[in-house]
Coordinates of all heavy atoms in Angstrom, one line a residue:
A1 N 7.0 -9.4 3.4 CA 6.2 -9.9 4.5 C 6.3 -9.0 5.7 O 7.3 -8.3 5.8 CB 6.9 -11.2 4.9
M2 N 5.3 -9.0 6.5 CA 5.2 -8.1 7.6 C 4.7 -9.0 8.7 O 3.8 -9.6 8.6 CB 4.2 -6.9 7.4 CG 4.3 -5.9 8.5 SD 3.4 -4.3 8.1 CE 1.7 -4.7 8.5
Y3 N 5.6 -8.9 9.8 CA 5.2 -9.7 11.1 C 5.7 -8.9 12.2 O 6.8 -8.4 12.3 CB 5.8 -11.0 10.9 CG 5.6 -11.9 12.3 CD1 4.5 -12.6 12.4 CD2 6.7 -11.8 13.2 CE1 4.4 -13.2 13.7 CE2 6.5 -12.5 14.5 CZ 5.3 -13.2 14.6 OH 5.1 -13.9 15.8
L4 N 4.8 -8.8 13.2 CA 5.2 -8.3 14.5 C 5.2 -9.4 15.6 O 4.1 -10.1 15.7 CB 4.1 -7.1 15.0 CG 4.3 -5.8 14.1 CD1 3.2 -4.8 14.5 CD2 5.7 -5.2 14.2
A5 N 6.2 -9.3 16.4 CA 6.2 -10.2 17.6 C 5.1 -9.9 18.4 O 4.6 -8.8 18.6 CB 7.5 -10.1 18.2
P6 N 4.4 -11.0 19.0 CA 3.3 -10.6 20.0 C 3.4 -9.6 21.0 O 2.6 -8.8 21.2 CB 3.0 -12.0 20.6 CG 3.5 -13.0 19.5 CD 4.8 -12.3 19.0
E7 N 4.6 -9.5 21.6 CA 4.9 -8.4 22.6 C 4.9 -7.0 22.0 O 4.8 -6.0 22.7 CB 6.2 -8.8 23.3 CG 7.4 -8.8 22.6 CD 7.7 -10.1 21.9 OE1 7.0 -11.0 21.8 OE2 9.0 -10.1 21.4
E8 N 5.0 -6.9 20.7 CA 5.1 -5.6 20.0 C 3.8 -5.1 19.4 O 3.6 -4.0 18.9 CB 6.1 -5.7 18.9 CG 7.6 -5.8 19.3 CD 8.0 -4.9 20.4 OE1 7.7 -3.7 20.3 OE2 8.8 -5.3 21.3
R9 N 2.8 -6.0 19.5 CA 1.4 -5.7 18.9 C 0.7 -4.7 19.9 O 1.0 -4.6 21.0 CB 0.6 -7.0 18.7 CG 1.3 -7.8 17.7 CD 0.6 -9.2 17.5 NE 1.5 -10.0 16.6 CZ 1.3 -11.3 16.5 NH1 0.3 -11.9 17.1 NH2 2.1 -11.9 15.7
G10 N -0.2 -3.9 19.2 CA -1.0 -2.9 20.0 C -0.3 -1.7 20.2 O -0.7 -0.8 21.1
K11 N 0.9 -1.5 19.6 CA 1.6 -0.2 19.7 C 1.6 0.6 18.6 O 2.4 1.5 18.3 CB 3.0 -0.5 20.1 CG 3.3 -1.3 21.3 CD 4.7 -1.7 21.6 CE 4.9 -2.5 22.8 NZ 6.3 -2.8 23.0
S12 N 0.7 0.5 17.7 CA 0.5 1.1 16.3 C 1.7 0.8 15.4 O 1.8 1.6 14.4 CB 0.3 2.7 16.6 OG -0.7 2.8 17.4
L13 N 2.5 -0.1 15.6 CA 3.7 -0.4 14.7 C 3.2 -0.8 13.4 O 3.7 -0.4 12.3 CB 4.6 -1.3 15.3 CG 5.2 -0.8 16.6 CD1 6.2 -2.0 17.2 CD2 6.1 0.3 16.3
S14 N 2.2 -1.6 13.3 CA 1.7 -2.1 12.0 C 1.2 -0.9 11.2 O 1.4 -0.9 9.9 CB 0.5 -2.9 12.1 OG 0.9 -4.1 12.8
Q15 N 0.5 0.1 11.7 CA 0.1 1.3 11.0 C 1.2 2.0 10.4 O 1.1 2.4 9.3 CB -0.9 2.0 11.9 CG -2.2 1.4 12.1 CD -2.2 0.6 13.4 OE1 -1.1 0.2 13.9 NE2 -3.4 0.3 13.9
R16 N 2.2 2.2 11.3 CA 3.3 2.9 10.8 C 4.1 2.2 9.8 O 4.6 2.8 8.8 CB 4.3 3.2 12.0 CG 3.7 4.3 12.9 CD 4.7 4.8 14.0 NE 4.5 4.0 15.1 CZ 5.3 3.9 16.1 NH1 6.5 4.5 16.0 NH2 5.1 3.2 17.2
L17 N 4.4 0.9 9.9 CA 5.0 0.1 8.9 C 4.3 0.2 7.5 O 4.8 0.4 6.3 CB 5.2 -1.3 9.2 CG 6.3 -1.5 10.2 CD1 6.2 -2.9 10.7 CD2 7.6 -1.2 9.7
M18 N 2.9 0.1 7.5 CA 2.1 0.1 6.3 C 2.2 1.5 5.8 O 2.2 1.7 4.6 CB 0.6 -0.3 6.7 CG -0.3 -0.3 5.4 SD 0.4 -1.4 4.1 CE 0.0 -3.0 5.0
S19 N 2.2 2.5 6.5 CA 2.3 4.0 6.0 C 3.6 4.1 5.4 O 3.6 4.8 4.2 CB 2.2 4.9 7.2 OG 2.4 6.3 6.8
I20 N 4.6 3.7 5.8 CA 6.0 3.7 5.1 C 6.0 2.9 3.9 O 6.5 3.5 2.8 CB 7.1 3.1 6.1 CG1 7.2 4.1 7.4 CG2 8.4 3.0 5.4 CD1 8.1 3.6 8.4
A21 N 5.4 1.7 3.9 CA 5.4 1.0 2.6 C 4.5 1.7 1.5 O 4.9 1.8 0.4 CB 4.8 -0.4 2.9
E22 N 3.5 2.3 2.0 CA 2.6 3.0 1.0 C 3.3 4.2 0.5 O 3.2 4.5 -0.6 CB 1.2 3.3 1.7 CG 0.4 2.1 1.9 CD -1.1 2.5 2.3 OE1 -1.4 3.7 2.2 OE2 -1.7 1.6 2.9
R23 N 3.9 4.9 1.3 CA 4.7 6.2 1.0 C 5.8 5.8 0.0 O 6.0 6.4 -1.1 CB 5.3 6.9 2.1 CG 5.9 8.2 1.8 CD 6.3 9.0 3.0 NE 7.2 8.3 3.9 CZ 6.7 8.1 5.2 NH1 5.5 8.5 5.5 NH2 7.5 7.4 6.0
F24 N 6.6 4.7 0.2 CA 7.5 4.3 -0.6 C 7.0 3.9 -2.0 O 7.5 4.2 -3.1 CB 8.2 3.1 -0.1 CG 9.2 2.3 -1.0 CD1 10.6 2.8 -1.1 CD2 8.8 1.4 -2.0 CE1 11.5 2.2 -2.0 CE2 9.7 0.7 -2.8 CZ 11.1 1.3 -2.8
A25 N 5.8 3.2 -2.0 CA 5.2 2.8 -3.3 C 4.7 4.0 -4.1 O 5.0 4.1 -5.3 CB 3.9 1.9 -3.0
R26 N 4.1 4.9 -3.4 CA 3.7 6.2 -4.1 C 4.9 7.0 -4.7 O 4.9 7.5 -5.9 CB 2.9 7.1 -3.2 CG 1.5 6.6 -3.0 CD 0.8 7.7 -2.3 NE -0.6 7.2 -2.0 CZ -1.0 6.5 -0.8 NH1 -0.1 6.3 0.2 NH2 -2.3 6.1 -0.7
Q27 N 6.0 7.1 -3.9 CA 7.1 7.8 -4.4 C 7.8 7.1 -5.6 O 8.4 7.8 -6.4 CB 8.2 7.9 -3.3 CG 7.8 8.9 -2.2 CD 8.6 8.8 -0.9 OE1 9.5 7.9 -0.7 NE2 8.6 9.9 -0.2
N28 N 7.6 5.8 -5.7 CA 8.3 5.1 -6.8 C 7.2 4.8 -7.9 O 7.5 3.9 -8.7 CB 8.8 3.9 -6.2 CG 10.1 4.2 -5.5 OD1 11.2 4.4 -6.1 ND2 10.1 4.3 -4.1
K29 N 6.1 5.5 -7.9 CA 5.1 5.4 -9.0 C 4.3 4.1 -9.1 O 3.9 3.8 -10.1 CB 5.7 5.9 -10.4 CG 6.5 7.0 -10.3 CD 5.6 8.4 -10.2 CE 6.5 9.5 -10.4 NZ 6.5 10.4 -9.3
F30 N 4.3 3.5 -8.1 CA 3.4 2.1 -8.0 C 2.0 2.6 -8.0 O 1.6 3.5 -7.4 CB 3.7 1.3 -6.8 CG 5.1 0.5 -6.9 CD1 6.1 1.0 -6.1 CD2 5.3 -0.6 -7.7 CE1 7.5 0.5 -6.2 CE2 6.5 -1.2 -7.7 CZ 7.6 -0.6 -6.9
R31 N 1.2 1.9 -8.7 CA -0.3 2.2 -8.6 C -1.1 1.2 -7.8 O -2.1 1.7 -7.4 CB -0.8 2.1 -10.2 CG -0.1 3.1 -10.9 CD -0.7 2.9 -12.5 NE 0.1 3.8 -13.3 CZ 0.2 3.6 -14.6 NH1 -0.5 2.6 -15.2 NH2 0.8 4.4 -15.4
T32 N -0.5 0.2 -7.4 CA -1.3 -0.9 -6.6 C -0.4 -1.6 -5.7 O 0.8 -1.8 -6.0 CB -2.0 -1.9 -7.6 OG1 -2.8 -1.2 -8.5 CG2 -2.8 -2.9 -6.8
I33 N -0.8 -1.8 -4.5 CA -0.1 -2.7 -3.6 C -0.9 -4.0 -3.5 O -2.1 -3.9 -3.2 CB 0.0 -2.1 -2.2 CG1 0.9 -0.9 -2.3 CG2 0.7 -3.1 -1.3 CD1 1.2 -0.2 -0.9
K34 N -0.3 -5.1 -3.7 CA -1.0 -6.5 -3.5 C -0.4 -7.3 -2.4 O 0.9 -7.1 -2.2 CB -1.0 -7.3 -4.8 CG -1.7 -6.7 -5.9 CD -1.8 -7.7 -7.1 CE -2.9 -7.2 -8.1 NZ -3.1 -8.3 -9.0
L35 N -1.1 -8.0 -1.6 CA -0.5 -8.8 -0.5 C -1.3 -10.0 -0.3 O -2.4 -10.2 -0.9 CB -0.5 -7.9 0.8 CG -1.8 -7.3 1.3 CD1 -2.5 -8.3 2.1 CD2 -1.5 -6.1 2.0
R36 N -0.8 -10.8 0.5 CA -1.4 -12.1 0.8 C -1.2 -12.4 2.2 O -0.3 -12.1 2.9 CB -0.8 -13.3 0.1 CG -1.5 -14.6 0.3 CD -0.7 -15.8 0.7 NE 0.5 -15.7 1.4 CZ 0.7 -16.1 2.7 NH1 -0.2 -16.8 3.3 NH2 1.9 -16.0 3.3
A37 N -2.4 -12.9 2.8 CA -2.4 -13.3 4.2 C -3.1 -14.8 4.2 O -3.8 -15.1 3.3 CB -3.2 -12.4 5.1
G38 N -2.8 -15.5 5.3 CA -3.5 -16.7 5.3 C -4.8 -16.8 6.2 O -4.9 -15.9 7.1
E39 N -5.6 -17.7 5.8 CA -6.9 -17.8 6.5 C -6.7 -17.8 8.1 O -7.5 -17.1 8.7 CB -7.6 -19.0 5.9 CG -9.0 -19.1 6.6 CD -10.1 -18.0 6.3 OE1 -10.0 -17.4 5.2 OE2 -10.7 -17.7 7.2
P40 N -5.7 -18.5 8.6 CA -5.6 -18.5 10.0 C -5.2 -17.2 10.6 O -5.3 -17.1 11.8 CB -4.6 -19.6 10.4 CG -4.3 -20.2 9.0 CD -4.8 -19.4 7.9
Q41 N -4.8 -16.2 9.8 CA -4.2 -14.9 10.3 C -5.3 -14.0 10.4 O -5.3 -12.9 9.7 CB -3.1 -14.4 9.4 CG -1.9 -15.4 9.4 CD -1.0 -15.0 8.3 OE1 -1.4 -14.8 7.1 NE2 0.3 -14.9 8.6
R42 N -6.3 -14.3 11.3 CA -7.5 -13.3 11.5 C -7.2 -11.9 11.8 O -7.8 -11.0 11.2 CB -8.4 -13.9 12.5 CG -9.0 -15.2 12.3 CD -10.1 -15.2 11.4 NE -10.6 -16.6 11.1 CZ -11.1 -17.0 10.0 NH1 -11.3 -16.1 9.1 NH2 -11.6 -18.2 9.9
E43 N -6.2 -11.8 12.7 CA -5.7 -10.3 13.0 C -5.2 -9.6 11.8 O -5.5 -8.4 11.5 CB -4.8 -10.3 14.1 CG -5.4 -10.8 15.5 CD -4.3 -11.0 16.5 OE1 -3.1 -11.1 16.1 OE2 -4.6 -11.1 17.6
A44 N -4.5 -10.2 10.9 CA -3.8 -9.7 9.8 C -5.0 -9.3 8.8 O -5.0 -8.2 8.2 CB -2.9 -10.6 9.1
L45 N -5.9 -10.2 8.6 CA -7.0 -9.9 7.6 C -7.8 -8.7 8.1 O -8.1 -7.8 7.2 CB -8.0 -11.2 7.7 CG -7.3 -12.4 7.1 CD1 -8.3 -13.7 7.2 CD2 -6.8 -12.3 5.6
R46 N -8.2 -8.6 9.3 CA -8.8 -7.4 9.8 C -8.0 -6.2 9.7 O -8.6 -5.0 9.2 CB -9.2 -7.6 11.3 CG -10.3 -8.4 11.4 CD -10.9 -8.3 12.9 NE -10.0 -8.7 13.9 CZ -9.7 -10.0 14.3 NH1 -10.4 -10.9 13.8 NH2 -8.7 -10.2 15.3
F47 N -6.7 -6.2 9.9 CA -5.8 -5.1 9.7 C -5.8 -4.5 8.2 O -5.9 -3.4 8.0 CB -4.4 -5.4 10.1 CG -3.4 -4.2 9.8 CD1 -3.3 -3.2 10.6 CD2 -2.5 -4.5 8.8 CE1 -2.6 -2.2 10.2 CE2 -1.6 -3.4 8.5 CZ -1.5 -2.3 9.2
Y48 N -5.6 -5.5 7.3 CA -5.6 -5.1 5.9 C -6.9 -4.5 5.5 O -6.9 -3.5 4.7 CB -5.2 -6.3 5.1 CG -3.9 -6.9 5.4 CD1 -3.5 -8.1 5.6 CD2 -2.7 -5.9 5.5 CE1 -2.3 -8.6 5.7 CE2 -1.4 -6.3 5.8 CZ -1.2 -7.7 5.9 OH 0.0 -8.1 6.1
E49 N -8.0 -5.1 5.9 CA -9.3 -4.4 5.5 C -9.5 -3.1 6.1 O -10.0 -2.2 5.4 CB -10.4 -5.4 5.9 CG -10.5 -6.7 5.1 CD -11.5 -7.7 5.6 OE1 -12.1 -7.5 6.6 OE2 -11.7 -8.6 4.8
K50 N -9.1 -2.8 7.4 CA -9.2 -1.5 8.0 C -8.2 -0.6 7.3 O -8.5 0.7 7.2 CB -8.8 -1.6 9.5 CG -9.9 -2.2 10.3 CD -9.5 -2.2 11.7 CE -10.6 -2.7 12.7 NZ -10.1 -2.7 14.1
A51 N -7.1 -1.1 6.7 CA -6.1 -0.2 6.0 C -6.6 0.1 4.5 O -5.9 0.8 3.8 CB -4.7 -0.9 6.0
G52 N -7.7 -0.3 4.2 CA -8.3 0.0 2.9 C -8.0 -1.0 1.8 O -8.3 -0.7 0.6
F53 N -7.5 -2.2 2.1 CA -7.2 -3.2 1.1 C -8.6 -3.9 0.7 O -9.3 -4.2 1.7 CB -6.1 -4.1 1.6 CG -4.9 -3.6 1.5 CD1 -4.3 -2.8 2.5 CD2 -4.0 -3.9 0.4 CE1 -3.0 -2.3 2.5 CE2 -2.7 -3.4 0.4 CZ -2.2 -2.5 1.4
Q54 N -8.8 -4.3 -0.4 CA -9.9 -5.0 -1.0 C -9.5 -6.4 -1.3 O -8.5 -6.6 -1.8 CB -10.5 -4.2 -2.2 CG -10.9 -2.7 -2.0 CD -12.0 -2.7 -1.0 OE1 -12.9 -3.5 -1.0 NE2 -11.9 -1.7 0.0
P55 N -10.4 -7.3 -1.0 CA -10.2 -8.7 -1.4 C -10.0 -8.8 -2.9 O -10.6 -8.0 -3.7 CB -11.4 -9.5 -0.9 CG -11.9 -8.7 0.2 CD -11.6 -7.3 -0.3
T56 N -9.2 -9.6 -3.4 CA -8.9 -9.9 -4.8 C -8.7 -11.3 -5.1 O -8.5 -12.1 -4.1 CB -7.7 -9.0 -5.4 OG1 -7.7 -9.1 -6.8 CG2 -6.3 -9.4 -4.8
E57 N -8.6 -11.7 -6.3 CA -8.3 -13.1 -6.6 C -6.9 -13.5 -6.2 O -5.9 -12.6 -6.3 CB -8.5 -13.4 -8.1 CG -9.9 -13.3 -8.5 CD -10.8 -14.4 -8.0 OE1 -10.3 -15.5 -7.9 OE2 -12.0 -14.0 -7.6
P58 N -6.6 -14.7 -5.8 CA -5.3 -15.2 -5.4 C -4.4 -15.0 -6.7 O -4.9 -15.2 -7.8 CB -5.4 -16.6 -5.0 CG -6.9 -16.7 -4.6 CD -7.6 -15.8 -5.5
F59 N -3.1 -14.7 -6.4 CA -2.2 -14.5 -7.5 C -1.0 -15.2 -7.3 O -0.7 -15.7 -6.1 CB -1.9 -13.0 -7.7 CG -1.4 -12.3 -6.5 CD1 -0.1 -12.2 -6.1 CD2 -2.4 -11.8 -5.6 CE1 0.4 -11.7 -4.9 CE2 -2.0 -11.1 -4.4 CZ -0.6 -11.1 -4.1
G60 N -0.1 -15.3 -8.2 CA 1.3 -16.0 -8.1 C 1.1 -17.3 -7.5 O 0.3 -18.1 -7.9
K61 N 2.0 -17.7 -6.6 CA 2.2 -19.0 -6.1 C 1.0 -19.3 -5.2 O 0.8 -20.5 -4.7 CB 3.5 -19.2 -5.4 CG 3.6 -18.4 -4.1 CD 5.1 -18.7 -3.6 CE 5.3 -18.0 -2.3 NZ 6.5 -18.1 -1.6
W62 N 0.2 -18.4 -4.9 CA -1.0 -18.5 -3.9 C -2.2 -18.9 -4.7 O -3.3 -19.2 -4.0 CB -1.1 -17.3 -3.1 CG 0.0 -17.1 -2.2 CD1 0.5 -17.9 -1.2 CD2 1.0 -16.1 -2.3 NE1 1.6 -17.4 -0.7 CE2 1.9 -16.2 -1.4 CE3 1.1 -14.9 -3.2 CZ2 3.1 -15.3 -1.2 CZ3 2.2 -14.0 -3.2 CH2 3.1 -14.2 -2.1
K63 N -2.2 -19.0 -6.0 CA -3.4 -19.4 -6.7 C -4.0 -20.7 -6.3 O -5.1 -20.9 -6.3 CB -3.1 -19.3 -8.2 CG -3.0 -18.1 -8.9 CD -2.8 -18.1 -10.4 CE -2.6 -16.8 -11.0 NZ -2.4 -16.8 -12.4
S64 N -3.1 -21.7 -6.1 CA -3.6 -23.0 -5.7 C -3.7 -23.2 -4.1 O -4.0 -24.3 -3.7 CB -2.7 -24.0 -6.3 OG -1.4 -23.9 -5.8
D65 N -3.4 -22.2 -3.3 CA -3.5 -22.3 -1.9 C -4.9 -22.0 -1.4 O -5.3 -20.8 -1.4 CB -2.4 -21.4 -1.3 CG -2.3 -21.5 0.2 OD1 -3.2 -22.1 0.8 OD2 -1.4 -21.0 0.8
P66 N -5.6 -22.9 -0.9 CA -7.0 -22.7 -0.5 C -7.0 -21.8 0.8 O -8.1 -21.3 1.1 CB -7.6 -24.1 -0.2 CG -6.4 -24.9 0.1 CD -5.2 -24.3 -0.8
T67 N -6.0 -21.7 1.5 CA -5.9 -20.8 2.8 C -5.5 -19.3 2.4 O -5.6 -18.5 3.4 CB -5.1 -21.4 3.9 OG1 -3.7 -21.3 3.3 CG2 -5.5 -22.9 4.2
A68 N -5.1 -19.1 1.2 CA -4.6 -17.7 1.0 C -5.7 -16.8 0.7 O -6.7 -17.0 0.1 CB -3.7 -17.8 -0.4
R69 N -5.5 -15.7 1.3 CA -6.6 -14.5 1.2 C -5.7 -13.3 0.6 O -4.8 -12.8 1.3 CB -7.2 -14.1 2.6 CG -8.0 -15.2 3.2 CD -9.1 -15.5 2.2 NE -9.8 -16.8 2.8 CZ -9.7 -18.0 2.2 NH1 -8.8 -18.2 1.2 NH2 -10.4 -19.0 2.7
C70 N -6.0 -12.9 -0.5 CA -5.2 -11.9 -1.3 C -6.0 -10.6 -1.3 O -7.3 -10.6 -1.3 CB -4.8 -12.4 -2.7 SG -3.8 -13.8 -2.6
F71 N -5.2 -9.6 -1.2 CA -5.8 -8.2 -1.2 C -5.0 -7.2 -2.0 O -3.8 -7.5 -2.4 CB -5.7 -7.6 0.2 CG -6.5 -8.4 1.3 CD1 -6.1 -9.5 1.9 CD2 -7.9 -8.0 1.6 CE1 -6.8 -10.2 2.9 CE2 -8.7 -8.6 2.5 CZ -8.1 -9.7 3.1
E72 N -5.7 -6.1 -2.4 CA -5.0 -5.0 -3.1 C -5.5 -3.8 -2.7 O -6.6 -3.7 -2.3 CB -5.1 -5.2 -4.7 CG -6.4 -4.9 -5.3 CD -6.5 -5.2 -6.7 OE1 -5.5 -5.7 -7.4 OE2 -7.5 -4.7 -7.3
K73 N -4.7 -2.7 -3.0 CA -5.0 -1.4 -2.7 C -4.6 -0.5 -3.8 O -3.4 -0.5 -4.1 CB -4.5 -0.8 -1.3 CG -5.0 0.5 -0.9 CD -4.4 0.8 0.4 CE -4.9 2.2 1.0 NZ -4.4 2.4 2.4
K74 N -5.5 0.3 -4.4 CA -5.1 1.3 -5.5 C -4.6 2.4 -4.8 O -5.1 2.9 -3.8 CB -6.2 1.6 -6.4 CG -7.0 0.4 -7.0 CD -6.2 -0.2 -8.1 CE -7.0 -1.3 -8.8 NZ -6.1 -2.2 -9.6
L75 N -3.4 2.9 -5.3 CA -2.9 4.1 -4.8 C -3.2 5.3 -5.5 O -3.5 5.4 -6.6 CB -1.3 4.0 -4.7 CG -0.9 2.8 -3.8 CD1 0.7 2.6 -3.9 CD2 -1.2 2.9 -2.4

């Protein structure tokens, strides 16, 4: 999970955190990153799309959650 307190937003921290996560995934031979955000999290949805994540079918425990928005990014 990734969450930034409102007072920390707008400081490019999200981009840095995502960059670290992607670097870790590549170093450990992961081929895909999958994530989930909720429909009410509009800022998160925009962030993931700008970061190159593509919408995908809900997975895991979110398959039955109508508010879940799932994404993936091929590395």
Side-chain angles (χ1 to χ4, degrees):
M2 188 166 85
Y3 174 81
L4 288 177
E7 64 272 13
E8 299 302 324
R9 295 176 188 166
K11 301 177 182 178
S12 300
L13 295 175
S14 296
Q15 291 90 343
R16 285 193 264 164
L17 287 171
M18 185 59 72
S19 177
I20 290 167
E22 288 184 20
R23 184 170 52 244
F24 175 86
R26 284 186 181 96
Q27 289 172 343
N28 288 279
K29 310 290 189 239
F30 290 100
R31 295 181 186 157
T32 305
I33 296 176
K34 289 189 173 192
L35 58 86
R36 186 230 26 120
E39 181 61 36
Q41 300 168 308
R42 300 276 182 212
E43 293 167 344
L45 298 174
R46 281 192 301 275
F47 171 75
Y48 296 133
E49 288 175 350
K50 284 183 180 179
F53 285 81
Q54 301 294 316
T56 190
E57 292 296 317
F59 56 90
K61 66 182 182 179
W62 299 291
K63 284 183 180 180
S64 61
D65 181 349
T67 68
R69 298 297 173 259
C70 296
F71 295 85
E72 70 178 12
K73 184 176 184 176
K74 303 289 184 191
L75 301 176

